[in-house]
């Protein structure tokens, strides 16, 4: 009897102890929302590194942080703001140091390089199934690498060209036909020659710093090279089409249709040149530029002193990139979204779960709707579409522009998740270390198309081997 009573007391004490401590979660620790005993949930901070994704995006971050904290009182979103010019460098420095933010804005073509670090998280088995199903499957493809999923997209933006409607009509350019049917390089060259006067250039593209890569990436897609590797996984930029494309790019500079100092034109100057009537056509063009131009036009009409200095009425027209050498239109579609990272230390499962909460919060619903609305792009999830339906767009879209952008979206070059992470990282390094510097030298007249081509080919052979490149 004494033994029986002792055993009962021992079981009772154990039960009380277990209740006081709280039942363990499936991950082996207390849940972020508190234990079974009703104890206070663990506080946690999720860090994010973000550039100015849209016009007033960074102004909204404090609002979103407050909403997230109201949804999850124990969690805090902490934002590090960066400019477009330095956010990639900041992220690279942090990743190389093994201390990246929990979440960062990442464009899809950076996934391979960042995955190569081992710190980018494959979220395919970490995020809730219902949340993943909220997104369009074709949009998720931009963030897939082999079998993994390395981010959630918030928008797909077509990088094309933009034009000044009045200037093009003055130069007898049928922009409506171009929107519907596209144009060849020969037609494009003739048009920008006609649009070049003593007052303005026919064409300008921002090529200072990292923006030079945009110019090249946009053009190569329409010259038969939609990706850095062909279907046989051979490096594509050693094709003769690449050399001939470089000759075309140099040709329009020598024509005088573009400024000889284009390699020093940054994104801000390019936009200023459009608004002040110094160029007829420019790149890269984005859908939201229509709204920005219309807003400046309204300020001019109202004699508002905050209008861009010396600006003129400029109606923005969406234009496709010209095609080269008989190739089909392969529009440059850039997916922007958020990716999650781990540090070199073994990640805490509870913290990772909190990061997934923040990742979905920022990628969906009203947050993504706000961003898509400012960028004049379509939503990529059901929750975002529902939220966008409740937003009143103060600057209505031009129907011709909307139709042209919708057509270009159907012509976007398909993402290539089949390209191995190692190859993708090697191609990015080749782009950053060899191709872009040589391309800027080409734009500045410091090297020739042939010299740049041979330098790229030699570096490609060093990287991928003689059998790993396209030869034609």
């Amino acid at each position: 009897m004494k033994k029986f009573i002792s055993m009962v007391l021992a079981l009772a004490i154990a039960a009380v102890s277990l209740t006081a401590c709280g039942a363990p979660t499936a991950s082996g620790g207390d849940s972020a929302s508190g234990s079974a005993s009703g104890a206070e949930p663990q506080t946690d901070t999720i860090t994010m590194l973000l550039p100015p994704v849209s016009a007033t995006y960074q102004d909204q971050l404090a609002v979103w942080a407050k909403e997230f904290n109201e949804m999850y009182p124990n969690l805090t979103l902490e934002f590090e703001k960066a400019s477009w010019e330095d956010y990639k460098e900041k992220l690279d420095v942090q990743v190389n140091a093994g201390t990246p933010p929990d979440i960062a804005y990442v464009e899809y073509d950076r996934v391979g390089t960042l995955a190569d670090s081992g710190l980018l998280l494959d979220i395919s088995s970490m995020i809730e199934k219902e949340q993943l199903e909220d997104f369009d499957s074709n949009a998720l493809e931009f963030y897939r690498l082999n079998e993994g999923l390395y981010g959630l997209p918030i928008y797909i933006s077509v990088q094309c060209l933009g034009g000044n409607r009045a200037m093009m009509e003055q130069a007898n350019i049928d922009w409506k036909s171009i929107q519907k049917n596209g144009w060849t390089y020969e037609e494009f060259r003739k048009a920008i020659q006609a649009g070049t006067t003593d007052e303005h250039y026919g064409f300008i593209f921002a090529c200072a710093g990292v923006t030079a890569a945009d110019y090249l990436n946009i053009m190569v897609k329409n010259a038969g090279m939609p990706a850095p590797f062909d279907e046989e996984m051979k490096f594509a930029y050693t094709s003769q089409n690449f050399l001939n494309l470089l000759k075309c790019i140099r040709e329009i500079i020598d024509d005088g249709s573009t400024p000889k100092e284009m390699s020093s034109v940054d994104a801000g100057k390019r936009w200023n040149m459009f608004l002040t009537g110094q160029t007829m056509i420019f790149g890269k063009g984005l859908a939201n530029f229509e709204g920005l131009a219309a807003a400046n036009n309204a300020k001019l009409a109202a004699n508002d002193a905050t209008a861009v200095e010396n600006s003129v009425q400029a109606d923005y027209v969406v234009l496709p990139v010209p095609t080269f050498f008989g190739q089909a239109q392969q529009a440059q579609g850039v997916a922007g979204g958020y990716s999650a990272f781990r540090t070199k230390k073994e990640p805490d499962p509870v913290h990772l779960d909190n990061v997934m909460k923040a990742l979905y919060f920022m990628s969906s619903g009203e947050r993504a709707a706000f961003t898509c609305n400012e960028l004049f792009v379509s939503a990529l999830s059901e929750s975002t579409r529902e939220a966008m339906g409740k937003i009143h767009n103060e600057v209505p879209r031009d129907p011709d522009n909307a139709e042209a952008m919708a057509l270009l979206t159907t012509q976007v070059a398909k993402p290539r998740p089949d390209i191995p992470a190692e190859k993708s990282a090697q191609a990015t390094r080749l782009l950053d270390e060899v191709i872009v510097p040589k391309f800027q030298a080409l734009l500045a007249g410091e090297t020739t198309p042939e010299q740049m081509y041979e330098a790229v080919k030699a570096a490609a052979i060093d990287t991928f081997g003689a059998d790993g490149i396209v030869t034609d």
Side-chain angles (χ1 to χ4, degrees):
M1 179 61 70
K2 288 181 180 180
K3 289 181 179 180
F4 175 75
I5 292 172
S6 298
M7 183 175 67
V8 171
L9 287 172
L11 289 172
I13 291 170
V16 171
S17 298
L18 183 61
T19 303
C21 294
T25 65
S27 62
D30 286 348
S31 165
S33 58
S35 67
S37 64
E40 287 295 320
Q42 300 176 22
T43 60
D44 197 4
T45 298
I46 298 97
T47 59
M48 296 188 71
L49 174 63
L50 303 171
V53 179
S54 64
T56 62
Y57 171 89
Q58 290 184 335
D59 297 336
Q60 289 293 118
L61 296 181
V63 175
W64 295 337
K66 183 175 182 292
E67 291 173 351
F68 183 73
N69 185 247
E70 289 172 352
M71 185 179 296
Y72 303 104
N74 59 310
L75 303 182
T76 300
L77 275 180
E78 185 177 281
F79 300 110
E80 179 183 359
K81 300 177 184 179
S83 68
W84 278 119
E85 286 72 24
D86 64 9
Y87 97 92
K88 288 182 181 179
E89 182 180 354
K90 280 189 175 183
L91 181 58
D92 287 343
V93 168
Q94 293 174 8
V95 168
N96 290 334
T99 56
D102 293 311
I103 299 170
Y105 172 86
V106 171
E107 291 176 333
Y108 83 103
D109 58 351
R110 296 262 294 158
V111 167
T113 303
L114 293 169
D116 199 41
S117 71
L119 302 184
L120 191 67
L121 289 173
D122 174 5
I123 65 170
S124 54
S125 61
M126 300 175 65
I127 195 162
E128 293 182 13
K129 181 182 177 182
E130 293 77 12
Q131 294 176 342
L132 207 55
E133 290 175 347
D134 183 29
F135 290 84
D136 300 341
S137 58
N138 63 328
L140 290 174
E141 288 300 311
F142 279 88
Y143 283 84
R144 292 196 185 279
L145 190 62
N146 300 320
E147 300 301 318
L149 179 64
Y150 293 89
L152 294 178
I154 49 175
Y155 68 86
I156 296 174
S157 174
V158 175
Q159 295 183 349
C160 52
L161 303 181
N164 180 304
R165 179 181 300 178
M167 287 184 182
M168 287 191 292
E169 290 175 349
Q170 188 175 2
N172 296 315
I173 298 170
D174 188 353
W175 57 269
K176 287 192 176 184
S177 174
I178 294 168
Q179 284 187 332
K180 289 179 168 57
N181 305 309
W183 49 353
T184 64
Y185 164 70
E186 291 75 19
E187 292 168 334
F188 169 74
R189 184 185 178 194
K190 183 179 179 181
I192 61 175
Q193 284 177 323
T196 300
T197 70
D198 292 338
E199 287 75 35
H200 56 75
Y201 290 100
F203 177 60
I204 183 69
F205 204 105
C207 291
V210 296
T211 57
D214 293 334
Y215 188 20
L216 196 57
N217 286 336
I218 286 171
M219 295 298 181
V220 294
K221 281 183 168 54
N222 293 284
M225 294 162 283
F229 298 91
D230 68 6
E231 297 299 326
E232 296 178 358
M233 217 57 73
K234 293 182 182 291
F235 187 68
Y237 300 165
T238 53
S239 162
Q240 288 297 305
N241 275 4
F242 189 75
L243 171 59
N244 291 330
L245 174 65
L246 298 178
K247 291 178 180 178
C248 293
I249 290 172
R250 186 63 233 179
E251 192 171 49
I252 59 176
I253 298 175
D254 295 335
D255 283 347
S257 303
T258 65
K260 295 188 182 301
E261 66 276 11
M262 197 159 73
S263 61
S264 64
V265 174
D266 61 21
K269 184 175 181 180
R270 167 225 40 202
W271 180 238
N272 182 270
M273 288 178 71
F274 172 75
L275 290 180
T276 56
Q278 296 179 67
T279 186
M280 178 181 71
I281 296 173
F282 75 96
K284 59 186 176 184
L286 300 170
N288 66 306
F289 286 173
E290 178 190 332
L292 297 177
N296 194 69
N297 289 341
K299 290 180 179 180
L300 289 173
N303 293 318
D304 188 332
T306 62
V308 172
E309 186 177 1
N310 298 322
S311 58
V312 298
Q313 288 284 325
D315 294 321
Y316 179 83
V317 172
V318 171
L319 295 171
V321 174
T323 56
F324 299 80
F325 324 129
Q327 300 294 325
Q329 176 71 236
Q330 294 276 295
Q332 167 86 337
V334 175
Y338 304 113
S339 295
F341 295 81
R342 54 162 292 179
T343 63
K344 287 184 177 179
K345 294 181 180 180
E346 188 63 29
D348 170 39
V350 173
H351 179 66
L352 289 183
D353 183 60
N354 295 336
V355 170
M356 292 303 107
K357 288 182 172 69
L359 183 69
Y360 179 72
F361 174 83
M362 289 294 293
S363 306
S364 62
E366 293 178 5
R367 281 69 54 194
F370 178 91
T371 307
C372 289
N373 186 62
E374 281 212 327
L375 294 175
F376 278 47
V377 295
S378 302
L380 302 180
S381 70
E382 285 300 325
S383 63
T384 304
R385 277 187 282 271
E386 182 180 348
M388 284 190 76
K390 301 174 183 177
I391 296 176
H392 172 65
N393 195 337
E394 295 180 359
V395 184
R397 295 186 67 179
D398 177 89
D400 291 315
N401 282 344
E403 186 178 342
M405 193 56 73
L407 176 60
L408 285 171
T409 302
T410 67
Q411 298 169 339
V412 164
K414 294 180 180 179
R416 291 284 303 279
D418 59 309
I419 298 175
E422 182 181 3
K423 275 188 175 292
S424 179
Q426 288 174 323
T428 300
R429 282 194 292 271
L430 189 61
L431 179 73
D432 293 341
E433 297 172 8
V434 179
I435 298 176
V436 169
K438 292 292 182 183
F439 185 57
Q440 287 175 320
L442 175 73
L443 296 173
E446 297 167 358
T447 192
T448 66
E450 291 82 4
Q451 289 169 337
M452 175 177 170
Y453 174 77
E454 290 301 328
V456 171
K457 185 175 180 180
I461 291 174
D462 286 343
T463 303
F464 303 109
D467 294 333
I469 65 170
V470 170
T471 55
D472 54 17

